[in-house]
Each structure stands twice: as C-alpha cells, then as structure tokens.
Amino acid sequence: MLCTDRDVPRDRSAGHPRVPRMAPLIPLMLAVMFGGCHPEGREARRELDSCQEGDAQSCNDIALRFLGGRYVLRDEARAASLFDLACEEGVAESCVRLGVMHLEGTGVDEDTAGAARLYERACDGGALEGCSRLGVLYRDSIAVPADQPRAVALFEQACDGGFAEGCAHAGYALVVGRGADRSAARAAALFEKACAGDSPLGCVGLGTLHAAGEGAALNVERAAELYEKACDADEAAGCFHLADLHEHGNGVERNFERAAELYRTACNLGSGRGCYGLAILHQNGTGVPRRVEHAASLIQRACDMGHTPACAAVTEAT
C-alpha cells in the first residue's frame, strides 16, 4: 500500500510563530525526501508541510532532520537556511543551532561574531543553551572581549534554568577561580547537579574532585564510576581519566590493556592527552605491542592537538 498525503496527519495547532510561505524551497526538499511509510518518514512529511504552511517550529524541526540526515538526505546548507528562517520568527532554539553552524563553518561560512550574536539572541529568547554557549565565548574571548564575570553569570543563568552543561561550566569557573571566588565545595555541588542532568562534563568535574579529595570526599572508586559514565557518553576527558586510573591501578584493577583501549577512545574523540598516553604504552610495549613508529605518529598527533608534553617530546626527538 502506497503512502499518500491523506496518510500523513495534519497538525495546524496554534501558538507557534509563523513564517512566510516558502514555495520555491519546498519542491527541492521534497525531491530529497526518502520514500516509504515509516512513521518517522511520515512525520518528516508532516513537518515539511507545516513549515510550508508557515509554522516556524516545524521549520526548525525539519531543519534538524536535514542537519542529521534523519529520513531526509543530509543537507547542511538547507538546514542552515531553515534555522535562519525560524530564528527570525522567534524560535530561540533555531538561533542556537544556526550559531553553532556559524561557529564551526558547517553549511555556512564560519562567522564567530555572527555566532555570538545568535547565541545572545537565543539566550534573550529563553534558550538556555544559548546562554551557556555565549558564556563560553566570553570565557575564551572568542568574537567578544574576555569577560569572566559575565561568562559565569551566563553559566549560572543557564544552570538555574535547568541546562546541565551550564552548571558544569560554572563549576569549572569556581574550581579555578575565573570570574568568581574559588570554591571547590560549591563547584562540587554544581558538578553534582550537572552530572545528574546527564552532562558528561559535569561527571568528569565531579570525578576529578573525588579523585583529589577537594570539595568532595576522597573516593577514587566513585571517581572511576563518574569517569566511566562520562566516557560512555563520548566525553574524551572521562575516557582519559579512566584510562589513567586503570594504568596505575588507582581505584580500579590495574589493567594495561583496558588503559590502552580507553586512551585510544579518548584519542579518537579528540584528546591530545589520550593520544599521548597511548603513545607511551606503545613505546614501552605495555598492554599493547611495542610499535615505536606508531608511538611517534601518536605523539605528533597529540602535539597537533595542542598537548604541550607531546610537542616537547617531538622537539626532543628532532
């Protein structure tokens, strides 16, 4: 049985911002829609139809599908266009997503200043992720002047609103005393809240405090559990710290093979420390075959990622 338009439920609910009809865009979108009658495919058709009718939230939803290639062919440029339309009509989430694309140069030209403006607009519109991301820009002086107190205020605004990653960033600011008085105990409370909200970054922060016994009870076993939770969520720092514990038998059974596996995962997730840790194991043949040339390539990779000890090792070798 073929799917027809009559098979697709129509949702004309009120309350969403409206955007102008986009007739010139829609035929192009329809041309890349996957066929079949899968519920997700039918939902994509419904979102597409609602977007054409002028529902800005549906434009955001279908843009997410184009960005991820979910029941449409992946098209980052088209996703950016749809996010732009929805953002202009007040969908704050769309402003965040478009800001991320401008920051990374995905589907649009890289534009860090544009990303900052979009995050601010999103934050003002109630998208707490926008507040947190804007805080990172102020913290790291990306497209805006460095302003640590402003960054912390934005992190706390996001955290207070329930955005877990904002709690994690606020926690790290308190650990190092950037933009706020240093307080490991307050940081631990923020990391706890972040980790409970499924922020891998928060779990790593809390694990680090438990491992050091700062602001939280010294409990390396608990730290290992937290690092593992973060690693399972593809947080490179969690994988690295868990690998380090396994390498040294700290809080967990000493297991060089497991350490190598975790360092490799961290490296592949973009951790220079992970690449360097794996390189040392290969240099010594600990838990993995001794492969000096491969170790050298890993050290170079770690240096390219900005890991200072690796760069020192490269310089020494030359």
Side-chain angles (χ1 to χ4, degrees), residues 169-252:
H169 287 307
Y172 280 103
L174 291 173
V175 166
V176 299
R178 293 177 66 185
D181 292 337
R182 189 178 184 279
S183 174
R186 288 179 57 207
L190 286 165
F191 288 144
E192 184 83 53
K193 184 176 180 179
C195 187
D198 292 328
S199 164
L201 194 63
C203 297
V204 172
L206 185 59
T208 302
L209 294 184
H210 274 299
E214 293 185 13
L218 178 62
N219 188 336
V220 185
E221 292 80 5
R222 174 62 176 151
E225 293 172 357
L226 290 162
Y227 292 150
E228 185 164 19
K229 180 178 179 180
C231 183
D232 288 344
D234 291 336
E235 174 56 54
C239 301
F240 168 79
H241 286 299
L242 185 59
D244 184 70
L245 294 184
H246 276 290
E247 182 181 0
H248 297 96
N250 189 8
V252 293

Coordinates of all heavy atoms in Angstrom, one line a residue, residues 169-252:
H169 N 30.0 24.2 33.4 CA 30.9 25.3 33.1 C 31.0 26.2 34.3 O 32.2 26.7 34.6 CB 30.4 26.1 31.9 CG 30.5 25.4 30.6 ND1 31.7 24.9 30.2 CD2 29.6 25.2 29.6 CE1 31.6 24.4 29.0 NE2 30.3 24.5 28.6
A170 N 30.0 26.5 35.0 CA 30.0 27.3 36.3 C 30.9 26.6 37.3 O 31.7 27.3 38.0 CB 28.6 27.5 36.8
G171 N 30.8 25.3 37.4 CA 31.6 24.6 38.3 C 33.1 24.7 38.0 O 33.9 24.9 39.0
Y172 N 33.5 24.6 36.8 CA 34.9 24.7 36.4 C 35.4 26.1 36.7 O 36.6 26.3 37.1 CB 35.1 24.3 34.9 CG 35.2 22.9 34.7 CD1 34.1 22.2 34.2 CD2 36.3 22.1 35.1 CE1 34.2 20.8 34.0 CE2 36.4 20.8 34.9 CZ 35.3 20.1 34.3 OH 35.4 18.7 34.2
A173 N 34.6 27.1 36.5 CA 35.0 28.5 36.8 C 35.3 28.6 38.3 O 36.2 29.3 38.7 CB 33.9 29.5 36.4
L174 N 34.5 28.0 39.2 CA 34.7 28.0 40.6 C 36.0 27.2 41.0 O 36.6 27.6 42.0 CB 33.5 27.5 41.3 CG 32.2 28.4 41.3 CD1 31.1 27.7 41.9 CD2 32.5 29.7 42.0
V175 N 36.3 26.2 40.3 CA 37.5 25.4 40.6 C 38.7 26.2 40.4 O 39.6 26.1 41.3 CB 37.5 24.1 39.7 CG1 38.9 23.4 39.8 CG2 36.5 23.1 40.1
V176 N 38.8 27.0 39.4 CA 40.0 27.7 39.1 C 39.9 29.2 39.5 O 40.9 29.9 39.4 CB 40.3 27.7 37.5 CG1 40.6 26.2 37.1 CG2 39.2 28.3 36.7
G177 N 38.7 29.6 39.9 CA 38.5 31.0 40.3 C 38.6 32.0 39.2 O 39.1 33.1 39.3
R178 N 37.9 31.7 38.1 CA 37.9 32.6 37.0 C 36.5 33.2 36.9 O 35.5 32.6 36.6 CB 38.1 31.8 35.6 CG 39.5 31.3 35.5 CD 39.6 30.5 34.2 NE 39.5 31.4 33.0 CZ 39.5 30.9 31.7 NH1 39.6 29.6 31.5 NH2 39.3 31.7 30.7
G179 N 36.4 34.5 37.3 CA 35.2 35.2 37.2 C 34.3 35.1 38.5 O 33.2 35.6 38.6
A180 N 34.8 34.3 39.5 CA 34.2 34.1 40.7 C 35.2 33.6 41.7 O 36.3 33.1 41.4 CB 33.1 33.0 40.6
D181 N 34.9 33.8 43.0 CA 35.8 33.3 44.0 C 35.9 31.8 44.0 O 35.0 31.1 43.8 CB 35.3 33.7 45.4 CG 35.3 35.2 45.7 OD1 36.1 35.9 45.0 OD2 34.6 35.7 46.5
R182 N 37.2 31.3 44.2 CA 37.4 29.9 44.1 C 36.7 29.2 45.2 O 36.8 29.5 46.4 CB 38.9 29.6 44.1 CG 39.3 28.2 43.9 CD 40.8 28.0 43.9 NE 41.2 26.6 43.5 CZ 41.2 25.6 44.4 NH1 40.8 25.8 45.6 NH2 41.5 24.4 44.0
S183 N 36.0 28.1 44.9 CA 35.3 27.3 45.9 C 35.1 25.9 45.4 O 34.2 25.6 44.6 CB 34.0 27.9 46.3 OG 33.3 27.0 47.2
A184 N 35.9 24.9 45.8 CA 35.8 23.6 45.4 C 34.5 22.9 45.8 O 33.9 22.1 45.1 CB 37.0 22.7 45.9
A185 N 34.1 23.3 47.0 CA 32.8 22.8 47.6 C 31.6 23.2 46.7 O 30.7 22.4 46.4 CB 32.6 23.2 49.0
R186 N 31.5 24.5 46.4 CA 30.4 25.0 45.5 C 30.5 24.3 44.2 O 29.5 24.0 43.5 CB 30.5 26.5 45.5 CG 30.0 27.2 46.7 CD 30.1 28.7 46.5 NE 29.3 29.2 45.4 CZ 29.6 30.3 44.7 NH1 30.7 31.0 45.0 NH2 28.9 30.6 43.7
A187 N 31.8 24.2 43.7 CA 32.0 23.5 42.4 C 31.4 22.1 42.4 O 30.8 21.7 41.5 CB 33.4 23.6 42.0
A188 N 31.7 21.4 43.5 CA 31.2 20.0 43.6 C 29.7 19.9 43.5 O 29.2 19.0 42.9 CB 31.8 19.4 44.9
A189 N 29.1 20.9 44.2 CA 27.6 20.9 44.2 C 27.1 21.1 42.7 O 26.1 20.5 42.3 CB 27.1 22.0 45.1
L190 N 27.8 22.0 42.0 CA 27.3 22.3 40.6 C 27.6 21.1 39.7 O 26.8 20.8 38.9 CB 28.1 23.6 40.1 CG 27.6 24.9 40.7 CD1 28.6 26.0 40.4 CD2 26.2 25.2 40.1
F191 N 28.8 20.5 39.9 CA 29.1 19.3 39.1 C 28.1 18.2 39.4 O 27.7 17.5 38.5 CB 30.5 18.8 39.4 CG 31.6 19.7 38.9 CD1 32.8 19.9 39.6 CD2 31.5 20.3 37.7 CE1 33.8 20.6 39.1 CE2 32.5 21.1 37.1 CZ 33.7 21.3 37.9
E192 N 27.7 18.0 40.6 CA 26.7 17.0 41.0 C 25.4 17.2 40.3 O 24.8 16.3 39.7 CB 26.5 17.0 42.5 CG 25.5 16.0 43.0 CD 26.2 14.6 43.3 OE1 27.2 14.6 44.0 OE2 25.7 13.6 42.7
K193 N 25.0 18.5 40.3 CA 23.8 18.9 39.6 C 23.9 18.6 38.1 O 23.0 18.1 37.4 CB 23.4 20.3 39.8 CG 22.1 20.8 39.3 CD 21.8 22.3 39.7 CE 20.5 22.8 39.1 NZ 20.2 24.2 39.5
A194 N 25.0 19.0 37.5 CA 25.3 18.8 36.1 C 25.3 17.4 35.7 O 24.6 16.9 34.7 CB 26.6 19.5 35.7
C195 N 26.0 16.5 36.5 CA 26.1 15.1 36.2 C 24.7 14.4 36.3 O 24.4 13.6 35.5 CB 27.1 14.5 37.1 SG 27.5 12.7 36.7
A196 N 24.0 14.8 37.3 CA 22.6 14.3 37.5 C 21.7 14.7 36.3 O 20.8 14.0 36.0 CB 22.0 14.8 38.8
G197 N 22.1 15.8 35.6 CA 21.3 16.2 34.5 C 21.9 15.7 33.2 O 21.6 16.2 32.1
D198 N 22.7 14.7 33.3 CA 23.4 14.0 32.1 C 24.3 14.8 31.4 O 24.4 14.8 30.1 CB 22.3 13.5 31.2 CG 21.5 12.3 31.8 OD1 22.1 11.6 32.6 OD2 20.3 12.2 31.5
S199 N 25.1 15.7 32.1 CA 26.2 16.4 31.5 C 27.5 15.7 31.7 O 28.0 15.6 32.8 CB 26.3 17.8 32.1 OG 27.6 18.4 31.8
P200 N 28.0 15.1 30.6 CA 29.3 14.3 30.8 C 30.4 15.2 31.4 O 31.2 14.7 32.2 CB 29.6 13.9 29.4 CG 28.3 13.9 28.7 CD 27.6 15.0 29.2
L201 N 30.4 16.5 31.0 CA 31.4 17.4 31.5 C 31.3 17.5 33.0 O 32.3 17.6 33.8 CB 31.3 18.7 30.8 CG 32.4 19.7 31.0 CD1 33.7 19.2 30.4 CD2 32.0 21.1 30.4
G202 N 30.1 17.6 33.5 CA 29.8 17.6 35.0 C 30.3 16.4 35.7 O 30.9 16.5 36.8
C203 N 30.1 15.2 35.1 CA 30.6 14.0 35.7 C 32.1 14.0 35.8 O 32.6 13.5 36.8 CB 30.1 12.8 34.9 SG 28.3 12.6 34.8
V204 N 32.8 14.4 34.8 CA 34.2 14.5 34.8 C 34.7 15.4 35.9 O 35.6 15.1 36.7 CB 34.8 14.9 33.5 CG1 36.3 15.2 33.6 CG2 34.5 13.9 32.4
G205 N 34.1 16.6 36.0 CA 34.4 17.5 37.1 C 34.3 17.0 38.4 O 35.1 17.1 39.3
L206 N 33.1 16.3 38.7 CA 32.8 15.7 40.0 C 33.8 14.6 40.3 O 34.3 14.5 41.4 CB 31.4 15.2 40.0 CG 30.9 14.7 41.4 CD1 31.1 15.8 42.5 CD2 29.5 14.2 41.3
G207 N 34.1 13.8 39.3 CA 35.1 12.7 39.4 C 36.4 13.2 39.8 O 37.1 12.7 40.7
T208 N 36.9 14.3 39.2 CA 38.2 14.9 39.4 C 38.3 15.4 40.9 O 39.3 15.2 41.6 CB 38.5 16.1 38.5 OG1 38.4 15.6 37.1 CG2 39.8 16.7 38.7
L209 N 37.2 16.0 41.4 CA 37.2 16.4 42.8 C 37.2 15.3 43.8 O 37.9 15.3 44.8 CB 36.0 17.3 43.1 CG 35.9 18.7 42.3 CD1 34.7 19.5 42.7 CD2 37.2 19.5 42.5
H210 N 36.5 14.2 43.4 CA 36.5 13.0 44.3 C 37.9 12.3 44.3 O 38.4 11.8 45.3 CB 35.4 12.0 43.8 CG 34.1 12.2 44.4 ND1 33.9 12.2 45.8 CD2 32.9 12.5 43.8 CE1 32.6 12.4 46.0 NE2 32.0 12.6 44.9
A211 N 38.5 12.3 43.1 CA 39.8 11.7 43.0 C 40.9 12.5 43.8 O 41.8 11.9 44.3 CB 40.3 11.6 41.5
A212 N 40.7 13.8 43.9 CA 41.7 14.6 44.6 C 41.3 14.9 46.1 O 42.1 15.3 46.9 CB 41.8 16.0 43.9
G213 N 40.0 14.6 46.4 CA 39.5 14.9 47.7 C 39.4 16.3 48.0 O 39.6 16.8 49.1
E214 N 39.1 17.1 47.0 CA 38.9 18.5 47.1 C 37.4 18.9 46.9 O 36.9 18.7 45.8 CB 39.8 19.3 46.1 CG 41.2 19.2 46.3 CD 42.0 20.0 45.4 OE1 41.4 20.9 44.7 OE2 43.3 19.8 45.3
G215 N 36.8 19.5 47.9 CA 35.4 19.9 47.8 C 34.4 18.7 47.8 O 33.2 18.9 47.9
A216 N 35.0 17.5 47.8 CA 34.2 16.3 47.9 C 35.0 15.3 48.6 O 36.3 15.4 48.6 CB 33.8 15.8 46.5
A217 N 34.4 14.2 49.2 CA 35.1 13.2 49.9 C 36.1 12.5 48.9 O 35.8 12.2 47.8 CB 34.1 12.2 50.5
L218 N 37.3 12.2 49.4 CA 38.2 11.4 48.7 C 37.7 10.0 48.4 O 37.4 9.2 49.3 CB 39.6 11.3 49.4 CG 40.7 10.5 48.8 CD1 41.0 11.1 47.4 CD2 41.9 10.3 49.7
N219 N 37.4 9.7 47.1 CA 36.7 8.5 46.8 C 37.1 8.2 45.3 O 36.4 8.6 44.4 CB 35.2 8.6 47.0 CG 34.5 7.2 46.8 OD1 35.0 6.3 46.2 ND2 33.3 7.1 47.4
V220 N 38.2 7.5 45.1 CA 38.7 7.2 43.8 C 37.8 6.2 43.1 O 37.6 6.3 41.8 CB 40.1 6.7 43.8 CG1 40.7 6.6 42.4 CG2 41.0 7.7 44.6
E221 N 37.2 5.3 43.8 CA 36.3 4.4 43.2 C 35.1 5.1 42.6 O 34.6 4.8 41.5 CB 35.8 3.3 44.2 CG 36.9 2.4 44.7 CD 37.8 3.0 45.8 OE1 37.5 4.1 46.2 OE2 38.8 2.3 46.1
R222 N 34.6 6.1 43.4 CA 33.4 6.9 42.9 C 33.9 7.7 41.6 O 33.1 7.8 40.7 CB 32.9 7.8 44.0 CG 31.9 8.8 43.5 CD 30.6 8.1 43.0 NE 29.6 9.1 42.7 CZ 28.6 8.9 41.8 NH1 28.6 7.7 41.1 NH2 27.7 9.8 41.6
A223 N 35.1 8.2 41.7 CA 35.6 8.9 40.5 C 35.7 8.1 39.3 O 35.3 8.5 38.2 CB 37.0 9.5 40.9
A224 N 36.1 6.8 39.5 CA 36.1 5.9 38.3 C 34.7 5.7 37.7 O 34.6 5.7 36.5 CB 36.7 4.6 38.7
E225 N 33.7 5.6 38.6 CA 32.4 5.4 38.1 C 31.9 6.6 37.3 O 31.3 6.5 36.3 CB 31.4 5.2 39.3 CG 31.6 3.8 40.0 CD 30.8 3.8 41.3 OE1 30.1 4.8 41.6 OE2 30.9 2.7 42.0
L226 N 32.3 7.8 37.8 CA 31.9 9.0 37.1 C 32.6 9.2 35.8 O 32.0 9.6 34.8 CB 32.1 10.2 38.0 CG 31.2 10.3 39.3 CD1 31.8 11.2 40.3 CD2 29.8 10.8 38.8
Y227 N 33.9 8.8 35.8 CA 34.6 8.9 34.5 C 34.0 7.9 33.5 O 33.9 8.3 32.3 CB 36.1 8.6 34.8 CG 36.9 9.6 35.6 CD1 37.9 9.2 36.4 CD2 36.5 10.9 35.6 CE1 38.7 10.1 37.1 CE2 37.3 11.8 36.3 CZ 38.3 11.4 37.1 OH 39.0 12.3 37.8
E228 N 33.7 6.8 34.0 CA 33.1 5.8 33.0 C 31.8 6.2 32.5 O 31.5 6.1 31.3 CB 32.9 4.4 33.7 CG 32.5 3.3 32.8 CD 32.7 1.9 33.4 OE1 32.8 1.8 34.6 OE2 32.7 1.0 32.6
K229 N 31.0 6.9 33.3 CA 29.7 7.4 32.8 C 29.9 8.5 31.8 O 29.2 8.5 30.7 CB 28.9 8.0 34.0 CG 27.5 8.6 33.6 CD 26.8 9.2 34.8 CE 25.4 9.8 34.4 NZ 24.7 10.3 35.5
A230 N 30.9 9.3 32.0 CA 31.2 10.4 31.0 C 31.8 9.8 29.7 O 31.5 10.2 28.6 CB 32.2 11.4 31.6
C231 N 32.7 8.8 29.9 CA 33.3 8.1 28.7 C 32.2 7.4 27.9 O 32.2 7.5 26.6 CB 34.3 7.1 29.2 SG 35.2 6.3 27.8
D232 N 31.3 6.8 28.5 CA 30.2 6.1 27.8 C 29.3 7.1 27.0 O 28.7 6.7 26.0 CB 29.2 5.4 28.8 CG 29.9 4.1 29.3 OD1 30.9 3.7 28.8 OD2 29.4 3.6 30.4
A233 N 29.4 8.4 27.4 CA 28.7 9.5 26.7 C 29.6 10.2 25.7 O 29.3 11.3 25.3 CB 28.1 10.4 27.7
D234 N 30.7 9.6 25.4 CA 31.7 10.1 24.4 C 32.4 11.4 24.9 O 32.7 12.2 24.0 CB 31.0 10.3 23.0 CG 30.7 9.0 22.4 OD1 31.3 8.0 22.7 OD2 29.8 9.0 21.5
E235 N 32.6 11.5 26.1 CA 33.4 12.7 26.7 C 34.8 12.2 26.8 O 35.2 11.4 27.6 CB 32.8 13.1 28.0 CG 33.6 14.2 28.7 CD 33.8 15.4 27.9 OE1 32.8 16.0 27.4 OE2 35.0 15.8 27.6
A236 N 35.7 12.8 26.0 CA 37.1 12.4 25.9 C 37.8 12.4 27.2 O 38.6 11.5 27.5 CB 37.8 13.2 24.8
A237 N 37.5 13.5 28.0 CA 38.2 13.6 29.3 C 37.9 12.5 30.2 O 38.7 12.0 31.0 CB 37.9 15.0 29.9
G238 N 36.6 12.0 30.2 CA 36.2 10.9 31.0 C 37.0 9.6 30.6 O 37.5 8.9 31.5
C239 N 37.2 9.4 29.3 CA 37.9 8.2 28.9 C 39.4 8.3 29.3 O 40.0 7.3 29.7 CB 37.8 8.1 27.4 SG 36.1 7.9 26.8
F240 N 40.0 9.5 29.2 CA 41.4 9.7 29.5 C 41.6 9.4 31.0 O 42.5 8.7 31.4 CB 41.8 11.1 29.2 CG 43.2 11.4 29.7 CD1 44.3 11.0 29.2 CD2 43.3 12.2 30.9 CE1 45.6 11.2 29.7 CE2 44.5 12.4 31.5 CZ 45.7 12.0 30.9
H241 N 40.8 10.1 31.8 CA 41.0 9.9 33.3 C 40.8 8.5 33.7 O 41.5 8.0 34.6 CB 40.0 10.8 34.1 CG 40.5 12.3 34.0 ND1 41.7 12.7 34.5 CD2 39.8 13.4 33.5 CE1 41.7 14.0 34.3 NE2 40.6 14.5 33.7
L242 N 39.8 7.8 33.1 CA 39.6 6.4 33.5 C 40.7 5.5 33.0 O 41.2 4.6 33.7 CB 38.3 5.9 32.9 CG 37.8 4.5 33.2 CD1 37.6 4.4 34.8 CD2 36.5 4.1 32.5
A243 N 41.3 5.8 31.9 CA 42.5 5.1 31.4 C 43.6 5.3 32.3 O 44.4 4.3 32.7 CB 42.9 5.6 30.0
D244 N 43.8 6.5 32.8 CA 44.9 6.8 33.8 C 44.8 6.0 35.1 O 45.7 5.4 35.6 CB 44.9 8.3 34.1 CG 46.1 8.7 34.9 OD1 47.3 8.6 34.5 OD2 45.9 9.0 36.1
L245 N 43.5 5.9 35.5 CA 43.3 5.1 36.7 C 43.6 3.6 36.5 O 44.2 2.9 37.3 CB 41.8 5.2 37.2 CG 41.4 6.6 37.7 CD1 39.9 6.5 38.2 CD2 42.3 7.1 38.8
H246 N 43.2 3.1 35.3 CA 43.5 1.7 35.0 C 45.0 1.4 34.8 O 45.5 0.4 35.2 CB 42.7 1.2 33.8 CG 41.3 0.8 34.0 ND1 41.0 -0.4 34.7 CD2 40.1 1.4 33.7 CE1 39.7 -0.5 34.8 NE2 39.1 0.5 34.2
E247 N 45.7 2.4 34.2 CA 47.1 2.2 34.0 C 47.9 2.1 35.3 O 48.8 1.4 35.5 CB 47.7 3.4 33.2 CG 49.2 3.3 32.9 CD 49.7 4.5 32.1 OE1 49.0 5.4 31.8 OE2 50.9 4.4 31.9
H248 N 47.4 2.9 36.3 CA 48.1 3.0 37.6 C 47.5 2.1 38.7 O 47.9 2.1 39.8 CB 48.3 4.4 38.0 CG 49.1 5.2 37.1 ND1 48.6 6.0 36.1 CD2 50.5 5.3 37.0 CE1 49.5 6.6 35.4 NE2 50.7 6.2 35.9
G249 N 46.3 1.5 38.4 CA 45.6 0.7 39.4 C 45.1 1.5 40.6 O 45.2 1.1 41.7
N250 N 44.6 2.7 40.2 CA 44.2 3.6 41.3 C 42.6 3.6 41.3 O 42.0 4.2 40.4 CB 44.7 5.0 41.0 CG 44.5 6.0 42.1 OD1 44.0 5.6 43.2 ND2 44.7 7.3 41.8
G251 N 42.1 3.0 42.3 CA 40.6 2.9 42.5 C 40.0 1.9 41.6 O 38.8 1.6 41.8
V252 N 40.7 1.3 40.7 CA 40.3 0.2 39.9 C 41.4 -0.8 39.7 O 42.6 -0.5 40.1 CB 39.8 0.7 38.5 CG1 38.6 1.6 38.6 CG2 41.0 1.4 37.8

